Amino acid sequence: MPLPKNRIVPEKKIYYRAEIENCPDCGRKLKRHHTAWKKNIATLQGVIQVWNMAYHCPDESCGNTKRYFNSAQAGALCMKHTSYGFDVLALVGELRFKHHLTIGEITKELNERGVATSERNSMRLYERYLTLLRASVTEQVRLELERVVQVNKGIMLSMDGVQPEKGNETLYVVREVFSGLILSAKNLKSGSAPELQTLLQPVKELGFPVIGLVSDGQHSIRLAMEAMWPEAPYQYCQYHYLKDIAKPVVDIDRKLKTGIKKSLRGIREIEKQIEKETSAEAEIAKDYLAAVRSILLEDGNPPLDLPGIRIFENAQAVQQSLENSLAKKGAHAPEKGSQNLQ
Ligand SMILES: [Zn+2]
């Protein structure tokens, strides 16, 4: 029963590429082939539009041109046929089982956190959460994996931990990447490597060849997966991995952005003062004010494109330009816009 399509406009687009970059058989660099899927996903960090790009080995003589690799990380964002992130699902579970909220209260809580939903949807999310926790390697799953092995020469596994609230349990999900099948999911407090291995054990017992392991930067996940399949190549999810190591930088950058925005707040007053002026100077000042306004709208795309740094650099450029034009004019009284860029 698919959830209704999310009609909210996404805040940003994220393109995911396959984590595996080279053909496991011939070692050639994989080439982008098509878009595996694209959808809007409501997460606790806002709505994102996710593009999952499929790659393949371009070498005909390798004989695997029809084997398509896509991003495990993109697949790990939400369950198939839903448009809500795993973080939202995990939160629903936590609100229900730890805080004993009713569906009505959960709906209110989600809406307050910026996740647009109705009671009906919350109920379905709750049911999905229960389904998720029941995931296991059943006979049907084994048969499906057998087909995956026939087509792809093996299975690829990913494991992720989702923590909707700090200091609580983490929801760990094990997936097969080619098929998107969820093989197991469990809430764990510590998430130590030996504990995580118990989630992987039933998969190992199937004895299928594993041609790749993918996870984010969490050390215990890597240890657990590598202990189970020491021969399989291991890939970090670049995006997640970067986000983890970049978090302190992103936090500082956010403060920088807030600070600059605060110091630029004075422009409203200046705008009012020169609103009715028509002199050439006033027109130039208006252009500068428009430039400053547009700077304030910048939001970047962390962690690689930091909004605070971007605003800072643009504000500096405006300031430099202002100073240059003032210098040209001679020691005339500075336009009021300049002092606000300090
Ligand atoms: Zn190949």
Side-chain angles (χ1 to χ4, degrees), residues 22-28 30 56-65 67:
N22 295 84
C23 173
D25 290 310
C26 70
R28 249 176 184 273
L30 298 176
H56 78 149
C57 173
D59 191 349
E60 293 284 346
S61 65
C62 167
N64 291 304
T65 53
R67 174 173 60 187

mmCIF file of all heavy atoms in Angstrom, residues 22-28 30 56-65 67, ligand 1:
data_model
loop_
_atom_site.group_PDB
_atom_site.id
_atom_site.type_symbol
_atom_site.label_atom_id
_atom_site.label_comp_id
_atom_site.label_asym_id
_atom_site.label_seq_id
_atom_site.Cartn_x
_atom_site.Cartn_y
_atom_site.Cartn_z
ATOM 1 N N ASN A 22 34.479 0.693 -9.558
ATOM 2 C CA ASN A 22 35.099 -0.143 -10.592
ATOM 3 C C ASN A 22 34.388 -1.479 -10.705
ATOM 4 O O ASN A 22 33.865 -1.999 -9.728
ATOM 5 C CB ASN A 22 36.570 -0.365 -10.255
ATOM 6 C CG ASN A 22 37.359 0.932 -10.292
ATOM 7 O OD1 ASN A 22 37.383 1.675 -9.317
ATOM 8 N ND2 ASN A 22 37.943 1.226 -11.421
ATOM 9 N N CYS A 23 34.389 -2.024 -11.916
ATOM 10 C CA CYS A 23 33.759 -3.319 -12.151
ATOM 11 C C CYS A 23 34.449 -4.394 -11.305
ATOM 12 O O CYS A 23 35.670 -4.526 -11.361
ATOM 13 C CB CYS A 23 33.868 -3.651 -13.642
ATOM 14 S SG CYS A 23 33.289 -5.311 -14.014
ATOM 15 N N PRO A 24 33.678 -5.144 -10.505
ATOM 16 C CA PRO A 24 34.290 -6.169 -9.658
ATOM 17 C C PRO A 24 34.964 -7.271 -10.480
ATOM 18 O O PRO A 24 35.822 -7.984 -9.963
ATOM 19 C CB PRO A 24 33.117 -6.757 -8.865
ATOM 20 C CG PRO A 24 32.014 -5.769 -8.997
ATOM 21 C CD PRO A 24 32.229 -5.066 -10.299
ATOM 22 N N ASP A 25 34.597 -7.412 -11.757
ATOM 23 C CA ASP A 25 35.180 -8.479 -12.571
ATOM 24 C C ASP A 25 36.405 -8.037 -13.354
ATOM 25 O O ASP A 25 37.425 -8.701 -13.331
ATOM 26 C CB ASP A 25 34.121 -9.047 -13.525
ATOM 27 C CG ASP A 25 33.075 -9.826 -12.742
ATOM 28 O OD1 ASP A 25 33.467 -10.678 -11.940
ATOM 29 O OD2 ASP A 25 31.874 -9.546 -12.913
ATOM 30 N N CYS A 26 36.298 -6.914 -14.059
ATOM 31 C CA CYS A 26 37.433 -6.534 -14.905
ATOM 32 C C CYS A 26 38.178 -5.301 -14.365
ATOM 33 O O CYS A 26 39.237 -4.947 -14.884
ATOM 34 C CB CYS A 26 36.969 -6.285 -16.340
ATOM 35 S SG CYS A 26 35.968 -4.810 -16.533
ATOM 36 N N GLY A 27 37.620 -4.651 -13.372
ATOM 37 C CA GLY A 27 38.321 -3.525 -12.764
ATOM 38 C C GLY A 27 38.172 -2.202 -13.501
ATOM 39 O O GLY A 27 38.657 -1.165 -13.046
ATOM 40 N N ARG A 28 37.475 -2.227 -14.636
ATOM 41 C CA ARG A 28 37.263 -0.993 -15.377
ATOM 42 C C ARG A 28 36.440 0.014 -14.580
ATOM 43 O O ARG A 28 35.612 -0.381 -13.772
ATOM 44 C CB ARG A 28 36.466 -1.298 -16.641
ATOM 45 C CG ARG A 28 37.244 -1.150 -17.893
ATOM 46 C CD ARG A 28 36.345 -1.575 -19.037
ATOM 47 N NE ARG A 28 37.068 -1.555 -20.284
ATOM 48 C CZ ARG A 28 37.179 -0.468 -21.040
ATOM 49 N NH1 ARG A 28 36.600 0.654 -20.691
ATOM 50 N NH2 ARG A 28 37.869 -0.518 -22.167
ATOM 51 N N LEU A 30 33.427 2.177 -13.772
ATOM 52 C CA LEU A 30 32.017 2.074 -14.161
ATOM 53 C C LEU A 30 31.561 3.389 -14.777
ATOM 54 O O LEU A 30 32.029 4.461 -14.394
ATOM 55 C CB LEU A 30 31.153 1.744 -12.945
ATOM 56 C CG LEU A 30 31.434 0.413 -12.233
ATOM 57 C CD1 LEU A 30 30.548 0.284 -10.998
ATOM 58 C CD2 LEU A 30 31.204 -0.776 -13.157
ATOM 59 N N HIS A 56 27.281 1.134 -14.889
ATOM 60 C CA HIS A 56 27.577 -0.222 -15.361
ATOM 61 C C HIS A 56 28.974 -0.304 -15.947
ATOM 62 O O HIS A 56 29.624 0.713 -16.182
ATOM 63 C CB HIS A 56 26.511 -0.692 -16.373
ATOM 64 C CG HIS A 56 26.693 -0.107 -17.729
ATOM 65 N ND1 HIS A 56 26.344 -0.758 -18.882
ATOM 66 C CD2 HIS A 56 27.209 1.092 -18.120
ATOM 67 C CE1 HIS A 56 26.631 0.006 -19.924
ATOM 68 N NE2 HIS A 56 27.152 1.125 -19.494
ATOM 69 N N CYS A 57 29.407 -1.532 -16.177
ATOM 70 C CA CYS A 57 30.709 -1.745 -16.809
ATOM 71 C C CYS A 57 30.520 -1.574 -18.317
ATOM 72 O O CYS A 57 29.705 -2.261 -18.928
ATOM 73 C CB CYS A 57 31.231 -3.141 -16.491
ATOM 74 S SG CYS A 57 32.725 -3.552 -17.399
ATOM 75 N N PRO A 58 31.246 -0.645 -18.942
ATOM 76 C CA PRO A 58 31.016 -0.360 -20.365
ATOM 77 C C PRO A 58 31.693 -1.363 -21.315
ATOM 78 O O PRO A 58 31.471 -1.307 -22.515
ATOM 79 C CB PRO A 58 31.636 1.033 -20.528
ATOM 80 C CG PRO A 58 32.709 1.093 -19.481
ATOM 81 C CD PRO A 58 32.293 0.209 -18.349
ATOM 82 N N ASP A 59 32.491 -2.262 -20.763
ATOM 83 C CA ASP A 59 33.284 -3.148 -21.609
ATOM 84 C C ASP A 59 32.490 -4.385 -22.039
ATOM 85 O O ASP A 59 32.188 -5.254 -21.226
ATOM 86 C CB ASP A 59 34.535 -3.565 -20.828
ATOM 87 C CG ASP A 59 35.545 -4.278 -21.715
ATOM 88 O OD1 ASP A 59 35.184 -4.627 -22.864
ATOM 89 O OD2 ASP A 59 36.675 -4.480 -21.261
ATOM 90 N N GLU A 60 32.160 -4.450 -23.338
ATOM 91 C CA GLU A 60 31.388 -5.576 -23.864
ATOM 92 C C GLU A 60 32.077 -6.911 -23.577
ATOM 93 O O GLU A 60 31.436 -7.910 -23.245
ATOM 94 C CB GLU A 60 31.210 -5.440 -25.387
ATOM 95 C CG GLU A 60 30.336 -4.270 -25.835
ATOM 96 C CD GLU A 60 28.848 -4.526 -25.617
ATOM 97 O OE1 GLU A 60 28.486 -5.695 -25.372
ATOM 98 O OE2 GLU A 60 28.069 -3.556 -25.671
ATOM 99 N N SER A 61 33.396 -6.932 -23.700
ATOM 100 C CA SER A 61 34.124 -8.196 -23.566
ATOM 101 C C SER A 61 34.078 -8.728 -22.124
ATOM 102 O O SER A 61 34.301 -9.912 -21.890
ATOM 103 C CB SER A 61 35.578 -8.020 -24.011
ATOM 104 O OG SER A 61 36.242 -7.126 -23.141
ATOM 105 N N CYS A 62 33.754 -7.834 -21.163
ATOM 106 C CA CYS A 62 33.631 -8.262 -19.759
ATOM 107 C C CYS A 62 32.328 -9.055 -19.583
ATOM 108 O O CYS A 62 32.229 -9.933 -18.730
ATOM 109 C CB CYS A 62 33.676 -7.056 -18.847
ATOM 110 S SG CYS A 62 33.188 -7.351 -17.153
ATOM 111 N N GLY A 63 31.342 -8.723 -20.433
ATOM 112 C CA GLY A 63 30.085 -9.479 -20.412
ATOM 113 C C GLY A 63 29.129 -9.103 -19.305
ATOM 114 O O GLY A 63 28.204 -9.850 -18.990
ATOM 115 N N ASN A 64 29.340 -7.956 -18.674
ATOM 116 C CA ASN A 64 28.460 -7.551 -17.561
ATOM 117 C C ASN A 64 27.816 -6.191 -17.790
ATOM 118 O O ASN A 64 27.509 -5.485 -16.842
ATOM 119 C CB ASN A 64 29.268 -7.508 -16.262
ATOM 120 C CG ASN A 64 29.677 -8.892 -15.811
ATOM 121 O OD1 ASN A 64 28.849 -9.763 -15.634
ATOM 122 N ND2 ASN A 64 30.979 -9.102 -15.673
ATOM 123 N N THR A 65 27.599 -5.855 -19.064
ATOM 124 C CA THR A 65 27.082 -4.510 -19.333
ATOM 125 C C THR A 65 25.651 -4.312 -18.822
ATOM 126 O O THR A 65 25.194 -3.199 -18.690
ATOM 127 C CB THR A 65 27.103 -4.193 -20.848
ATOM 128 O OG1 THR A 65 26.415 -5.249 -21.523
ATOM 129 C CG2 THR A 65 28.523 -4.089 -21.383
ATOM 130 N N ARG A 67 24.616 -5.398 -15.883
ATOM 131 C CA ARG A 67 24.584 -5.375 -14.407
ATOM 132 C C ARG A 67 24.714 -3.914 -13.968
ATOM 133 O O ARG A 67 25.711 -3.252 -14.255
ATOM 134 C CB ARG A 67 25.755 -6.189 -13.846
ATOM 135 C CG ARG A 67 25.866 -6.076 -12.335
ATOM 136 C CD ARG A 67 26.913 -7.005 -11.772
ATOM 137 N NE ARG A 67 28.249 -6.736 -12.305
ATOM 138 C CZ ARG A 67 29.323 -7.497 -12.066
ATOM 139 N NH1 ARG A 67 29.204 -8.564 -11.310
ATOM 140 N NH2 ARG A 67 30.487 -7.189 -12.568
HETATM 141 ZN ZN ZN B 1 33.705 -5.388 -16.268
#
